[in-house]
Amino acid sequence: MLYLKYIVFIFILYICITFVSSSILKNNNKSILNMVPEPFTVNSENGIKLACKLWKSNNLNNNMNDIPIVLFIHQYAIMGGQGILMEGMAKHTVTNGFNAITFDLRGAGQSTGSPTYTNQYELTDVKEVINYIIKNFDSNKIFIVGSSGGAPLCGAILDYSPRIAGGVMIGYVWGWWASILFGWAYPSVQQSIKPKIFVVGKLLSVCLNTYI
C-alpha cells in the first residue's frame, strides 16, 4: 500500500509538470516569470563545484519538513544539457505546492569540471546533491525527474537512499546504440522496485513494485 501511495503521488506529479492547462499558465504566468530561486553550491569529487537552485513552493504554509522535494536532472551535458532547461518544469512544480531543485552536472552551465561521455561520473554528482538534500532538509520524500540523458541517472539513483520515493523518466535513452554510452545504468532501473514512470513520446508507462 505504501508503494501504491507513492505511485499515485508521482502520477499526480507527472500531470503537474507535463499537462499544465492553458488557464493555469495564464493565471500563473506573471508569478512564474517573477520566481527567484535560492542558489547554493554542492561539492562533488575532485573539487568539482555544482551550481544548484532551490525553488520553494509559494504555499504560505510551506514547511520544508512536510513538502516533498522534486530533484530535476537535466539532459546530456555533452550535447548542451544544463539545469536551466529544467527550470520551466521546476517552476510549474512549485506552483502546484512542491519544492524543487535544479542543478548543473559537472561541466554544464555554471558548474566546474568536464562532462563525461557515459555519464557514469555524473552519477556521483547526483549522489552528492541528494546527500546535501538529506543533510540540509528534513523533507521525508525526494522524487527524481530525469530528462533524456538525465533519465538513466534518475533510474540508476532510485535505490541510493530510502528517502527517494520514486522517479519520472522523460525520454529514457533505451536501445542498442544508446547502450554503448548508457548501458551501465540499465540494470539498476530494471531491478529497482521503486515506483517509476516512463514518458516516451506519447507513451506513458507506469511500473509499480515490479521489474520492467
Side-chain angles (χ1 to χ4, degrees), residues 2-207:
L2 182 61
Y3 277 137
L4 181 59
K5 292 180 180 178
Y6 284 171
I7 200 66
V8 170
F9 182 93
I10 62 176
F11 184 76
I12 293 173
L13 174 63
Y14 164 77
I15 296 298
C16 290
I17 66 177
T18 58
F19 294 109
V20 181
S21 68
S22 59
S23 61
I24 293 178
L25 282 172
K26 182 177 179 180
N27 293 333
N28 290 326
N29 184 54
K30 187 173 182 179
S31 63
I32 289 174
L33 290 175
N34 293 331
M35 280 185 186
V36 179
E38 298 178 9
F40 63 96
T41 301
V42 171
N43 296 320
S44 191
E45 62 181 3
N46 299 323
I48 291 174
K49 297 187 179 301
L50 307 174
C52 309
K53 296 177 182 178
L54 170 65
W55 304 83
K56 297 184 70 174
S57 167
N58 55 6
N59 187 335
L60 295 178
N61 297 317
N62 186 355
N63 185 329
M64 292 296 290
N65 297 352
D66 301 330
I67 300 178
I69 292 179
V70 182
L71 175 64
F72 289 89
I73 306 175
H74 65 73
Q75 301 84 352
Y76 194 41
I78 293 287
M79 298 182 68
Q82 54 184 302
I84 194 172
L85 299 177
M86 307 299 285
E87 291 185 3
M89 286 189 288
K91 290 176 181 179
H92 284 298
T93 298
V94 301
T95 61
N96 285 279
F98 308 112
N99 293 310
I101 288 177
T102 57
F103 74 104
D104 295 322
L105 293 164
R106 62 182 64 200
Q110 301 300 312
S111 292
T112 63
S114 300
T116 66
Y117 285 100
T118 64
N119 260 6
Q120 282 183 277
Y121 288 101
E122 280 80 347
L123 186 63
T124 300
D125 298 342
V126 180
K127 289 179 180 178
E128 292 300 339
V129 174
I130 291 173
N131 290 341
Y132 183 94
I133 294 173
I134 292 172
K135 181 178 179 181
N136 292 277
F137 305 113
D138 293 326
S139 178
N140 292 324
K141 298 183 184 69
I142 302 170
F143 289 87
I144 316 291
V145 177
S147 176
S148 189
L153 292 172
C154 172
I157 205 71
L158 287 176
D159 291 332
Y160 177 66
S161 167
R163 289 269 198 97
I164 300 173
V168 177
M169 284 151 275
I170 305 169
Y172 196 106
V173 282
W174 295 107
W176 188 88
W177 288 107
S179 71
I180 296 174
L181 296 177
F182 306 112
W184 63 269
Y186 295 172
S188 297
V189 70
Q190 289 172 327
Q191 294 167 13
S192 176
I193 62 172
K194 295 278 184 75
K196 304 178 283 285
I197 288 181
F198 294 87
V199 184
V200 183
K202 296 181 179 180
L203 175 65
L204 168 64
S205 298
V206 179
C207 301

